[in-house]
Each structure stands twice: as structure tokens, then as C-alpha cells.
């Protein structure tokens, strides 16, 4: 079941500057920001809590990962919307039966959570991520 937006992700050139911008914008404490390095995705990601959801800031590691490619094509801006589900594999199967396409198999993303992305071609050019929060989260 999908029951909420887990996070909205923004691609940025400089993570530290973007953290400053959004911490100031939200008026929150910088100590609430959680940073993950995800070498498999070639990104550094900062999560800033906003109530039950989060803003994720994505900075590329190197110049050949998916976020680096996104930035060179589109510049900074909205990157994806992540929907929380208690079953990434089950939801993936459900939407594939509807004709949607996954971008790869479910894998482990930032913070060790199970994730998968859907091809934006079939979702109004919005990149959608399913994310399975850990039970203790
Ligand atoms: Co994400």
C-alpha cells in the first residue's frame, strides 16, 4: 500500500549550499539534516525532515552518475517524488501489471532502504520512486 509522500528530491550542484538554503527556508535546525553517501548511485543525499515527509537534496559524486547526467541536461531542480510503501516488491509488480516500466530492479538506496524508480515516460515525465521505510523508522 502507498500511503504518503516519503520525500521530494531536488538535484543540486553544491550540497552544502543547498542545505543552507533549505534549512533557512524551512526555519529548521541543521542538526536535523541527515546526510548519506550512496556510491552505488553516485550521489550524496541530504534529507531534511518536513513533518511526516522530507526534502531530499541530491549532489552528484563524479560526473557520470544519473544525477550528474540530469544536471548537465536540465540544470538544478525537481528530480523525483518518492512514495512510501510497506512493500516495494509488491507495488512494483502491481504497477508493472498496469503497464508501467521500472528503471531496474528494486535495490538498496540511501539509509539501506529498499527502493525502485519508475520510468518517467509513463508518469507524465515525473520520476517516481517507491521507498520502503525500515520497520524501526
Ligand atoms: Co529519493
Amino acid at each position: 500500500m502507498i500511503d504518503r509522500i516519503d520525500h521530494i528530491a531536488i538535484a543540486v550542484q553544491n550540497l552544502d549550499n543547498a542545505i543552507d538554503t533549505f534549512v533557512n527556508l524551512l526555519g529548521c535546525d541543521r542538526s536535523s539534516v541527515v546526510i548519506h553517501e550512496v556510491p552505488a548511485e553516485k550521489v550524496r543525499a541530504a534529507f531534511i525532515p518536513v513533518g511526516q515527509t522530507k526534502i531530499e537534496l541530491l549532489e552528484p559524486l563524479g560526473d557520470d552518475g544519473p544525477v550528474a547526467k540530469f544536471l548537465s541536461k536540465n540544470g538544478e531542480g525537481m528530480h523525483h517524488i518518492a512514495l512510501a510503501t510497506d512493500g516495494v516488491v509488491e507495488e512494483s509488480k502491481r504497477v508493472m501489471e498496469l503497464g508501467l516500466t521500472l528503471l531496474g530492479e528494486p535495490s538498496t538506496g540511501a539509509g539501506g532502504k529498499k527502493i525502485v524508480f519508475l520510468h518517467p515516460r509513463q508518469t507524465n515525465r515525473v520520476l517516481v520512486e517507491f521507498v520502503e521505510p525500515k520497520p524501526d523508522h
Side-chain angles (χ1 to χ4, degrees):
M1 185 183 70
I2 293 168
D3 56 2
R4 65 188 168 85
I5 293 172
D6 185 82
H7 60 267
I8 292 172
I10 300 166
V12 304
Q13 298 284 5
N14 182 298
L15 192 64
D16 294 316
N17 290 348
I19 290 170
D20 285 341
T21 299
F22 280 87
V23 161
N24 288 336
L25 183 152
L26 294 164
C28 65
D29 197 313
R30 204 181 163 107
S31 64
S32 66
V33 180
V34 179
I35 298 175
H36 294 283
E37 231 178 78
V38 192
E41 299 278 330
K42 298 194 175 179
V43 291
R44 212 154 65 98
F47 289 92
I48 309 176
V50 186
Q52 286 285 86
T53 184
K54 286 159 270 179
I55 288 177
E56 176 183 31
L57 303 170
L58 291 168
E59 175 195 65
L61 287 173
D63 52 16
D64 61 344
V67 174
K69 283 177 189 157
F70 177 93
L71 283 172
S72 64
K73 203 172 151 191
N74 307 292
E76 294 187 304
M78 279 279 310
H79 186 266
H80 65 268
I81 293 176
L83 302 171
T85 170
D86 53 3
V88 160
V89 170
E90 292 79 0
E91 291 302 328
S92 299
K93 280 183 190 152
R94 185 180 63 80
V95 298
M96 279 193 294
E97 280 167 18
L98 298 174
L100 302 185
T101 307
L102 303 183
L103 289 171
E105 293 291 309
S107 63
T108 303
K113 293 173 183 178
K114 199 182 286 179
I115 62 164
V116 73
F117 286 93
L118 308 187
H119 201 296
R121 192 187 299 138
Q122 292 150 315
T123 49
N124 300 78
R125 296 185 66 228
V126 174
L127 181 60
V128 174
E129 174 186 7
F130 289 161
V131 58
E132 191 171 319
K134 289 180 171 172
D136 61 346
H137 220 262

